[in-house]
Every structure is written in structure tokens, then in C-alpha cells.
């Protein structure tokens, strides 16, 4: 992301104005695409992007910019067919010349069914650019994300240019009387996305955060603040060799001065190696606060309500909690430690499997107002970090033994990452 930005995406704050017919220009460049965990190795290819914008405009105008993928960089993998209306692209256009910055453009989730190994099909990505300085403004396509949604979760492939990108559209901007040149609003090259800071969501910024900076949720009358999925690497120590990697999404709904949080992991589909009873798996997570506020907010999900048959899919439930702001300002929310409580028999002491977020990212940013007794303040946090309890389980506790067998032997898919606990065959043989 670029440093300071004067290019704005204004959500619902004006009407797009174009002073001349739109003109399009193509750019062909090489990219490297990194699929999500479990999606295969990175690939390099060549893509052609067509950028459409008005040929001329004046300072203060807000213009429409469109990025169409004429030639995709790669085909669908040979793993599975992509269903209809499952692909949503998000791109970042470098703004140069008369003004500098980065413009975020978002496409609709609209595509025909894409068979294995067939060329990827992506909708046109659109955004609005506020022109703040006179001169020639260049629009050059850059990195982009491709989110594909299946019945068991959403997975994001990140693509970035390899080398310099040449080509793109140019707008000849003349001086105007509008005072929009000094109106900031974006702090990280589109990651906080100008318009979203004023409560707008029409340009896709509030529903699809930047690749690095999360989603900014503004004020106004907005009550629902969806976050963006971020890839999180969890370190579970020797219990889970290699750890866990999964997309995690933090969503918020305003409730008075507080926010009801819902945290989702990608739903997995993996055959369970044994039948699991109802109530066997109960997840919880610490949401880390940053920016104006600090501390953590704990969210927890219910245990599985129904038994999970042998070889049936295993998923974690959605986790919920409440964030009551302790400080006013922009507050970031990031996934932190994940804990899975494993209980294999009624009344048995749960086994706590703690998984520290070795790497994470911002899923959501809220523009908050401090509340009395705010739970997220630096002097008071909601929830506590749960430490492991494997060593505390006595051998006389049959439920604990079974739970330990699960921890030692169960194969769980959490957001596309499969992790296996080694002694399963031996433990299952003695069960």
C-alpha cells in the first residue's frame, strides 16, 4: 500500500461526474498468484487488463473507473469446478501523475460455472476516484485478489505484478472551482478507503476491505459492519505439528454504544476418523484490539449440537461476543489466540487446545466512541487467554482419556488446512 493518499473512494457522498466520454486503455503484465493454504503452489502468468476512465475532467470531479480482465493470468485448478456466481475480484489501481495514491476497485460476485482447468472468468471491477489536482492523472492496474466461495468456505488468491507495469488510462484534469483537493479521508492507500470513514458503503469499500488494512466501518446510520477474511497462521505447539492456517472473518453489528461481534472460520469438509458425540468440540478466540483502543475481546461458539458421524465433515461453529469501546477513534480488530475445548463424555473435564496466532491481520476497523466501563480499554479486557491443560488430565478420567485420544488422533479441517495428530492409529486400536 502507498503511504499518503489523496485519491478518495467516496461512498454515497456525491454523484459521479464525467466531463468527457470514457476512454479505455489496455495493459499487459506478468503477475505471481499465491493461492490460499491447501490450494497448490504459487503460479506466474500474464494478464491483460483494460482500464476505462474519462479522457478529461476537472478538479473536484468524482469519476468512474473500471478494470476489466481481458485475459486472465491463469486457469482454474484441476482440483474442483467453480460454481456459478462464486468469484469476486478486488483490484488496486496505482494513481500517478497529477496526484498520487491507490484506488480500490471491486467486482460483483458474478461468473458462469468454471470447469477444472478452464480460464478464470472475473467480473469488471469498479470504483470512483475523486480528482484533487490538475494535470495528467495516470491509472495503472496493479495487484488484485480473487475470492472464490464454495459451500464450505471462501478462499482468496492474491496476485501481484512481477516487474513494472506499463499502460493504463490517463485523465487530463483541468483546474476547477471545487474545493475537494484538501479533503483527505484515506490513510493507507485505500485500506481505510475514504468513503467508508464517512459511513458510506456503496463503493464496496465497507464490505470488501483492502488487502492489508482491513475494512473500515464509519459512522452515520450504518449498523452492520462486515469484515474481510484474513489468512491466520495458528501455532498450536507440539499438539498440532505444523500449526493451522485458515481464513478468519470478524463481523460487527452496532448495538447501542457497543458492537456484537461474530467471528467465522472457513467451513471445512474432512472425513472425521471416528464418530464424535454432540458437544465434543467448542471453539473460542481472543480478538485483539489495536489503533485507538487496546486489549482483547473474547468470543466463543457453541459446541457441535449434533453428533458427527465417522468420516463426516468437521467444522467449528461461529463465535460471538460483545465489544464495548474503551476509547474513541479508529479501532482495528484482528484474530488472535484460538482455543478448542474437547469433551468426549458428559461431565468430563475438557481438554484445552490453545493455538496462538503466529501471524494474523486486521479483519475490521471501527470508528468508535468510548463507553463507560469499555471492555476494550487498556486497563480492562474482556475474556482471558486460555492456556493448555493436557498435562492436568488424569488417567483415571475416562472422558479425559477419550479427549486426549481425540487430540492425539483426530483429523480436523479448519478453513482448508488439514492437521493430523500422530498417534491416532495406536490410540484407536486400544480404545
Amino acid at each position: 500500500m502507498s503511504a499518503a493518499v489523496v485519491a478518495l473512494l467516496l461512498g454515497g457522498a456525491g454523484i459521479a461526474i464525467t466531463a468527457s466520454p470514457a476512454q479505455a486503455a489496455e495493459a499487459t503484465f506478468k503477475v505471481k498468484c499465491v493461492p490460499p493454504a491447501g490450494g497448490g503452489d504459487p503460479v506466474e502468468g500474464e494478464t491483460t487488463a483494460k482500464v476505462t476512465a474519462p479522457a478529461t475532467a476537472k478538479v473536484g470531479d468524482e469519476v468512474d473507473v473500471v478494470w476489466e480482465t481481458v485475459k486472465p493470468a491463469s486457469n482454474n485448478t484441476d482440483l474442483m469446478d467453480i460454481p456459478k456466481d462464486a468469484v469476486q475480484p478486488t483490484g488496486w489501481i496505482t494513481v500517478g501523475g497529477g496526484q498520487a495514491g491507490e484506488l480500490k476497485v471491486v467486482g460483483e460476485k458474478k461468473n458462469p460455472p468454471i470447469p477444472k482447468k478452464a480460464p478464470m472468468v472475473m467480473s469488471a471491477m469498479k470504483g470512483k476516484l475523486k480528482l484533487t489536482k490538475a494535470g495528467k492523472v495516470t491509472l495503472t492496474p496493479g495487484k488484485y485478489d480473487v475470492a472464490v466461495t464454495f459451500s464450505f468456505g471462501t478462499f482468496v488468491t492474491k496476485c501481484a505484478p512481477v516487474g513494472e507495469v506499463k499502460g493504463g488510462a490517463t485523465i487530463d484534469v483541468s483546474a476547477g472551482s471545487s474545493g475537494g483537493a484538501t479533503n483527505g479521508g484515506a490513510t493507507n492507500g485505500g485500506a481505510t478507503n475514504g468513503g467508508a470513514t464517512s459511513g458510506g458503503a456503496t463503493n464496496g469499500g465497507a464490505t470488501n476491505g483492502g488487502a492489508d488494512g482491513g475494512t473500515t466501518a464509519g459512522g452515520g446510520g450504518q449498523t452492520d459492519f462486515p469484515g474481510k477474511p484474513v489468512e491466520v497462521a495458528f501455532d498450536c505447539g507440539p499438539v498440532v505439528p505444523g500449526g493451522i492456517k485458515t481464513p478468519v472473518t470478524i463481523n460487527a453489528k452496532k448495538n447501542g454504544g457497543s458492537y456484537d461481534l461474530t467471528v467465522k472460520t472457513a467451513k471445512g469438509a474432512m472425513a472425521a476418523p471416528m464418530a464424535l458425540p454432540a458437544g465434543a468440540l467448542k471453539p473460542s478466540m481472543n480478538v485483539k484490539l489495536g489503533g485507538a483502543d487496546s486489549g482483547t475481546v473474547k468470543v466463543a461458539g457453541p459446541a457441535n449440537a449434533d453428533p458427527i458421524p465417522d468420516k463426516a465433515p468437521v467444522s467449528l461453529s461461529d463465535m460471538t461476543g460483545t465489544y464495548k469501546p474503551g476509547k474513541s477513534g479508529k479501532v482495528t480488530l484482528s484474530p488472535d489466540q484460538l482455543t478448542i475445548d474437547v469433551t468426549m463424555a458428559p461431565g468430563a473435564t475438557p481438554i484445552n487446545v490453545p493455538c496462538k496466532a503466529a501471524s494474523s491481520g486486521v479483519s475490521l476497523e471501527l470508528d468508535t466512541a468510548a463507553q463507560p466501563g469499555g471492555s476494550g480499554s487498556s486497563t480492562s479486557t474482556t475474556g482471558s487467554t486460555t492456556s493448555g491443560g493436557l498435562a492436568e488430565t488424569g488417567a483415571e478420567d475416562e472422558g479425559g482419556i477419550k479427549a486426549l485420544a481425540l487430540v492425539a488422533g483426530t483429523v480436523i479441517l479448519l478453513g482448508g488446512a488439514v492437521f493430523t495428530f500422530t498417534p491416532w492409529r495406536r490410540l484407536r486400536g486400544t480404545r
Side-chain angles (χ1 to χ4, degrees):
M1 309 295 279
S2 58
V5 182
V6 292
L8 304 181
L9 287 170
L10 296 180
I15 300 174
I17 301 172
T18 57
S20 67
Q23 49 92 24
E26 292 187 357
T28 298
F29 55 99
K30 292 182 178 180
V31 295
K32 180 179 181 180
C33 296
V34 180
D41 297 326
V43 296
E44 289 191 15
E46 188 177 78
T47 185
T48 299
K50 181 169 72 173
V51 179
T52 302
T56 60
K58 65 180 184 298
V59 172
D61 286 353
E62 185 185 55
V63 298
D64 291 314
V65 179
V66 180
W67 173 346
E68 296 177 75
T69 302
V70 177
K71 174 191 171 186
S74 63
N75 296 338
N76 183 19
T77 67
D78 58 358
L79 299 177
M80 64 183 67
D81 296 339
I82 296 177
K84 179 182 179 182
D85 298 339
V87 179
Q88 183 174 40
T90 302
W92 287 265
I93 293 176
T94 301
V95 181
Q99 67 184 58
E102 197 167 48
L103 173 66
K104 181 182 173 182
V105 289
V106 180
E108 294 181 295
K109 189 184 288 185
K110 189 174 183 180
N111 61 276
I114 306 174
K116 300 182 187 71
K117 298 184 179 181
M120 288 294 295
V121 179
M122 295 180 287
S123 63
M125 296 172 278
K126 302 177 181 180
K128 296 183 185 296
L129 175 68
K130 183 77 170 183
L131 299 173
T132 61
K133 292 184 179 180
K136 291 189 180 297
V137 174
T138 58
L139 303 170
T140 307
K143 64 183 180 181
Y144 61 91
D145 295 349
V146 182
V148 181
T149 301
F150 298 95
S151 60
F152 49 86
T154 299
F155 303 92
V156 181
T157 296
K158 297 181 178 294
C159 300
V162 178
E164 183 182 2
V165 180
K166 296 182 179 180
T170 301
I171 307 174
D172 193 353
V173 183
S174 60
S177 58
S178 174
T182 60
N183 183 15
T187 60
N188 272 312
T192 56
N193 196 351
T197 60
S198 62
T202 59
N203 65 357
T207 59
N208 291 286
D212 301 310
T215 299
T216 301
Q222 189 176 356
T223 58
D224 292 309
F225 304 107
K228 75 178 183 73
V230 292
E231 292 287 341
V232 184
F234 291 103
D235 181 2
C236 306
V239 178
V240 188
I244 309 167
K245 291 182 180 179
T246 175
V248 180
T249 305
I250 302 173
N251 300 318
K253 184 178 180 67
K254 195 167 186 181
N255 185 0
S258 300
Y259 295 87
D260 295 331
L261 304 182
T262 300
V263 179
K264 298 176 178 286
T265 59
K267 302 302 179 183
M270 177 64 188
M274 63 178 291
L276 302 176
L281 305 177
K282 186 176 182 179
S284 62
M285 185 181 292
N286 288 342
V287 175
K288 186 176 181 180
L289 305 175
D293 212 344
S294 60
T296 59
V297 177
K298 187 168 185 177
V299 294
N304 53 301
D306 300 315
I308 303 174
D310 186 21
K311 295 182 175 57
V314 176
S315 297
L316 295 182
S317 61
D318 293 346
M319 294 163 275
T320 59
T322 300
Y323 167 47
K324 189 175 184 181
K327 300 287 179 66
S328 296
K330 296 189 183 304
V331 179
T332 59
L333 288 79
S334 305
D336 202 24
Q337 176 166 300
L338 168 70
T339 301
I340 303 174
D341 291 339
V342 183
T343 307
M344 289 296 288
T349 302
I351 299 296
N352 301 116
V353 182
C355 298
K356 180 182 178 182
S359 66
S360 185
V362 175
S363 176
L364 181 64
E365 185 178 77
L366 297 170
D367 197 353
T368 66
Q371 303 296 311
S375 61
S377 65
S378 58
T379 57
S380 174
T381 60
T382 296
S384 59
T385 301
T386 305
S387 60
L390 294 176
E392 299 173 4
T393 301
E396 70 278 7
D397 185 347
E398 181 183 2
I401 294 174
K402 291 180 180 179
L404 183 57
L406 174 73
V407 172
T410 302
V411 178
I412 298 176
L413 177 69
L414 178 60
V418 180
F419 55 97
T420 307
F421 302 116
T422 308
W424 166 245
R425 294 180 180 271
R426 177 165 54 84
L427 287 169
R428 187 172 185 178
T430 60
R431 179 173 175 267

